[in-house]
């Protein structure tokens, strides 16, 4: 979906998915710290070519819209254009995929909750928020401190890299009663599955729509699916992602 919106050709979208997966699993220190550079460089080269195509022949897509965007007559620089495309494809490829996969696993493990949603799909929007809370696809993201800060007796200097762990906040018992319990009817006032403040997820509405449609179709067609095996977890410093979610079901 995000590839379609940006304007990536269908035959190259699998390449972008592979590069995104490589970025998700890149850990600090891997290959001398270069584990993320190769897939990122491949994406930047592909986006540079796409943007050049759209300069010659604009289309109805986000790449063309970014090229045409301006504030007070100032257009985005090449670096800004490539950065926008990079953020859109990484965020749009991986996080929504993991939301659907993580949610499918939760429903398989909680057949009573799945039955509620199959019988009353109107509950799905709230259920998706609960999936986002309990198994947030983005578990943590870094920020750089602009000034010295002391929290809980720990001093953190300006310029330090601080990792905000959304996954822990979403299971905070001070905010959520029985935080480890999956409850599609939970009355949620807020959660941090999409981040917070000016960095709140740009694609939140799209992710919610994609997930709702995915679960509507899944539960309408094969409500009795089961996990073929317990799915493993991909290694990542920020993503909550299964390596695969194999399922079995009765097509009848």
């Amino acid at each position: 979906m995000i590839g379609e919106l940006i304007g990536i050709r269908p035959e190259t979208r699998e390449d972008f998915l592979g590069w995104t997966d490589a970025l998700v699993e890149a850990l600090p220190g891997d290959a001398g710290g270069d584990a993320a550079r190769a897939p990122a460089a491949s994406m930047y080269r592909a986006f540079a070519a796409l943007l050049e195509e759209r300069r010659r022949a604009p289309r109805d897509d986000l790449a063309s819209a970014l090229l045409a965007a301006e504030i007070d007559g100032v257009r985005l620089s090449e670096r800004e254009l490539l950065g926008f495309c990079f953020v859109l494809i990484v965020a749009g490829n991986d996080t929504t995929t993991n939301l659907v996969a993580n949610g499918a696993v939760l429903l398989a493990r909680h057949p009573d909750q799945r039955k509620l949603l199959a019988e009353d799909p109107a509950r799905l929007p709230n259920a998706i928020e609960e999936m986002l809370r309990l198994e947030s696809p983005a578990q943590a993201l870094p920020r750089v401190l602009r000034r010295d800060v002391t929290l809980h007796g720990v001093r953190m200097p300006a310029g330090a890299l601080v990792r905000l762990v959304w996954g822990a906040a979403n299971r905070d018992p001070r905010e959520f009663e029985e935080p480890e319990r999956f409850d599609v009817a939970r009355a949620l006032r807020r959660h941090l599955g999409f981040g917070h403040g000016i960095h709140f997820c740009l694609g939140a509405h799209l992710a919610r729509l994609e997930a709702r449609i995915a679960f509507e179709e899944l539960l309408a067609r094969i409500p009795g699916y089961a996990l073929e095996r317990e799915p493993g977890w991909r290694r990542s410093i920020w993503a909550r992602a299964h390596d695969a979610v194999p399922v079995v079901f009765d097509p009848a």
Side-chain angles (χ1 to χ4, degrees):
M1 178 59 69
I2 199 67
E4 174 76 19
L5 290 172
I6 293 173
I8 298 170
R9 293 192 302 274
E11 63 270 22
T12 65
R13 290 175 192 165
E14 287 296 323
D15 293 334
F16 280 91
L17 184 59
W19 294 329
T20 300
D21 287 343
L23 285 171
V24 168
E25 295 188 344
L27 300 179
D30 282 1
D34 294 335
R37 292 183 184 177
S42 296
M43 280 199 227
Y44 268 69
R45 284 192 296 270
F47 278 131
L50 173 64
L51 290 168
E52 188 55 37
E53 289 178 13
R54 293 300 183 267
R55 287 188 180 96
R56 295 194 300 267
R59 297 184 184 179
D60 184 18
D61 55 31
L62 285 174
S64 300
L66 287 169
L67 284 166
E70 62 178 54
I71 297 178
D72 298 330
V74 179
R75 298 286 182 92
L76 294 171
S77 67
E78 183 73 3
R79 180 178 179 181
E80 290 168 333
L81 288 165
L82 291 171
F84 263 115
C85 290
F86 179 82
V87 169
L88 288 171
I89 196 67
V90 172
N93 253 345
D94 188 73
T95 51
T96 306
T97 302
N98 293 333
L99 166 57
V100 174
N102 294 352
V105 171
L106 284 169
L107 294 180
R109 290 172 175 165
H110 299 84
D112 57 326
Q113 302 290 293
R114 182 173 58 186
K115 184 172 184 292
L116 282 176
L117 298 179
E119 293 175 347
D120 185 6
R123 293 177 178 267
L124 271 170
N126 193 78
I128 290 166
E129 300 304 308
E130 175 71 344
M131 295 170 186
L132 284 162
R133 180 195 71 81
L134 192 62
E135 295 286 17
S136 304
Q139 289 281 300
L141 287 174
R143 296 287 183 265
V144 177
L145 290 177
R146 299 285 299 275
R147 57 183 176 83
D148 294 347
V149 176
T150 299
L151 282 176
H152 308 292
V154 177
R155 180 183 176 277
M156 296 173 285
L161 186 69
V162 176
R163 196 167 300 279
L164 304 178
V165 186
W166 311 122
N170 281 336
R171 296 186 182 217
D172 189 336
R174 295 170 296 181
E175 178 72 19
F176 306 103
E177 184 178 352
E178 296 183 75
E180 303 298 324
R181 178 170 56 88
F182 177 55
D183 180 4
V184 299
R186 183 188 296 274
L188 282 166
R189 296 185 301 113
R190 59 182 180 172
H191 63 75
L192 294 175
F194 287 120
H196 178 69
I198 63 172
H199 295 291
F200 188 83
C201 177
L202 181 67
H205 293 302
L206 176 61
R208 286 166 168 146
L209 175 62
E210 290 180 287
R212 178 176 60 77
I213 293 172
F215 287 114
E216 282 175 349
E217 295 300 319
L218 176 65
L219 295 175
R221 297 183 184 203
I222 48 173
Y225 74 92
L227 296 176
E228 185 177 52
R229 61 171 174 79
E230 277 299 306
W233 294 100
R234 293 166 59 188
R235 64 172 199 166
S236 177
I237 61 172
W238 65 271
R240 183 75 165 163
H242 292 293
D243 54 5
V245 182
V247 299
V248 293
F249 60 94
D250 180 357

